[in-house]
Amino acid sequence: MKFLVTGFEPFGQSNVNPSEQVVRALARRQFEGFAVETAVLPVHRFHGPQTLLTHVQQTRPDAVVCLGEAGGRTAVSIERVAINLLDFRIADNNGLVVQDELISADGPAAYFTTLPVRALQQAVAAAGIPAELSLSAGAFLCNQVTYELLHFLAQPQLAIPAGFVHLPLLPEQAANQTPLRPSMALDVMVTAVITILHTLCTQLRTPR
Ligand code: PCA
């Protein structure tokens, strides 16, 4: 079994992104029962989704888990939906701010992610790590790549589970902010994502 796990490069005021760090940590490890391919996506309106879809086509994974940073989140947040909207609250890394635009002119208003979100949230919580289900991935790049991924995979012959997990800030990103914001240590986030992959692996192996 093969998983594609992606993170994002730093954006906004920060020079690190927890999702990139988690993906780099996963790339250095071996797992029993599954292989992990990784990619770091640009925070760029066009190159972000393009890079993701290129990796999906090249690696032909059994499932896709995309990761991103969400400052202010207190837990590992497993997203349930991606909406057909671009409404950037800050510029992407190309300086572009897009407001009130559809991602896909002929696509549905939203897609549910196709990961077993409840089972993943429960597994991460059972591992002793704060985890929650989330109803909004926002309207910036994380939502956009998830929507475009689910739109691409909506063809029956391509149907594989795919979804998005938002991560809190790293402690070093949160440390000097006023007001203070929640954070989570890198090794805890790495354990959470490995727990997600083990749970997915078990679920995909169990005949329905
Ligand atoms: N978080 C942003 C984009 C890249 C990232 O890591 C978001 O939540 O859309």
Side-chain angles (χ1 to χ4, degrees):
M1 184 154 320
K2 187 170 24 172
F3 296 129
L4 174 63
V5 183
T6 68
F8 272 104
E9 65 185 15
F11 66 101
Q13 303 298 315
S14 192
N15 55 7
V16 288
N17 187 319
S19 65
E20 174 174 24
Q21 309 273 315
V22 168
V23 156
R24 298 215 183 282
L26 293 179
R28 291 191 291 269
R29 292 173 70 147
Q30 299 270 4
F31 301 96
E32 212 162 294
F34 57 86
V36 176
E37 301 276 351
T38 61
V40 175
L41 309 179
V43 179
H44 183 294
R45 189 221 168 141
F46 300 108
H47 297 159
Q50 259 163 26
T51 306
L52 174 58
L53 296 188
T54 302
H55 274 88
V56 171
Q57 283 162 305
Q58 280 171 355
T59 58
R60 303 177 144 270
D62 296 294
V64 187
V65 179
C66 302
L67 308 172
E69 164 191 320
R73 299 274 174 107
T74 54
V76 171
S77 293
I78 299 162
E79 300 294 347
R80 303 178 87 135
V81 283
I83 58 173
N84 190 0
L85 177 69
L86 298 172
D87 194 32
F88 293 2
R89 67 199 147 75
I90 55 169
D92 73 4
N93 285 353
N94 192 36
L96 195 69
V97 178
V98 188
Q99 284 185 316
D100 306 330
E101 275 187 36
L102 295 176
I103 296 170
S104 165
D106 56 357
Y111 283 105
F112 285 110
T113 67
T114 49
L115 296 176
V117 291
R118 179 74 63 187
L120 300 183
Q121 183 269 329
Q122 287 172 344
V124 175
I129 299 170
E132 64 183 359
L133 294 179
S134 164
L135 280 175
S136 176
F140 191 40
L141 257 296
C142 293
N143 173 73
Q144 186 192 352
V145 299
T146 312
Y147 185 94
E148 295 208 24
L149 175 63
L150 294 166
H151 192 59
F152 174 73
L153 296 175
Q155 311 165 60
Q157 73 278 17
L158 294 178
I160 54 167
F164 198 93
V165 179
H166 261 125
L167 302 171
L169 298 177
L170 291 161
E172 62 263 38
Q173 291 177 288
N176 294 306
Q177 295 201 11
T178 315
L180 284 168
R181 296 212 283 172
S183 65
M184 193 178 273
L186 177 61
D187 62 337
V188 176
M189 295 199 257
V190 171
T191 303
V193 176
I194 292 174
T195 304
I196 285 172
L197 299 180
H198 276 293
T199 309
L200 255 183
C201 186
T202 308
Q203 292 241 337
L204 293 183
R205 287 231 165 91
T206 311
R208 269 172 269 174

